[in-house]
Amino acid sequence: MKSILGRIRFLPVCLALGLAFLYIPILSLIIYSFNESKLVTVWSGFSTKWYGELFRNQQIIDAALLSLRIAVMSACAAVVLGTIAGFVLARMRRFRGRTLLAGMSMAPLVMPEIITGLSLLLFFIALEKMTGWPNGRGITTVTIAHITFSMAYVAVIVQSRLADMDPSLEEAAMDLGARPLKVFFAITLPIVAPALISGWLLAFTLSIDDLVIASFVSGPGASTLPMVIFSKVRLGVSPDINALATIIIGIVALGVLLAALAFKRQERLQGRDARLANLPED
């Protein structure tokens, strides 16, 4: 009995230590983003001047806009291609080459990023020699590279959602005379819409966060935000980088908070509808 009580008391301590290990460095980064001193480890007073320096840094602004542009394009394309791959794998159980397609779809999930980046670089070089396209490395090659590995995540999400979907809904629509394309857009697509949104957000995040693959396939004038941050940190962390990281943390925290509020609101509406449905009729 004492051992069980001791184990129960030990669990909150482990949880507190784990959360402290994760969030104390983030908290210290946020605090030192308001440090007046140029030395990030020496506190000399509260100041917001580094946020002003950050917004006057044209290199970081350009890199952030470029990363957003690439992330939006790659996420949209990854959702389209990943949805097609996930639909084929979930609905077409047996066809020649299915195992190969499934393996190729899942390979980017387990492939080391350095191998993916190197293989894409060699592919672009060989393609340029044979066809003349792409003309050097830049935004186009980075976007294609991000589509290549992020569509695999979308395919997994869509395939799992379609596997849980009741096929009788589609069969009933076809029995009523709907054509397969009509069934897909009227029945299947609205049901898997949450999976598509999740896949888009995941692909967007992976593109924004990518450093290794972009370093291989980018060229002059196509430095993404992670590449710029990494090049600056190699020479020493500057306070404006702390300010940038704090802004990113704030945006992510705001997104998580809004998602939690939306989820709670949806649960409340569903509970209200369930209560109204159970009310006795007059």
Side-chain angles (χ1 to χ4, degrees), residues 173 178 180-191:
L181 192 62
K182 178 69 174 180
V183 172
F184 177 78
F185 284 105
I187 304 296
T188 308
L189 199 59
I191 293 177

Side-chain angles (χ1 to χ4, degrees), residues 126-142:
L127 187 64
E128 184 179 3
K129 288 183 178 180
M130 290 187 295
T131 64
W133 184 90
N135 187 15
R137 264 68 66 197
I139 298 175
T140 302
T141 54
V142 175

Side-chain angles (χ1 to χ4, degrees), residues 22 25 44 73 83 130 136 146 157 165 209 221 225 240 252 262:
L22 289 173
S44 63
M73 291 190 297
T83 301
M130 290 187 295
H146 286 182
I157 295 173
M165 178 180 168
D209 185 61
L225 185 60
D240 58 340
V252 172

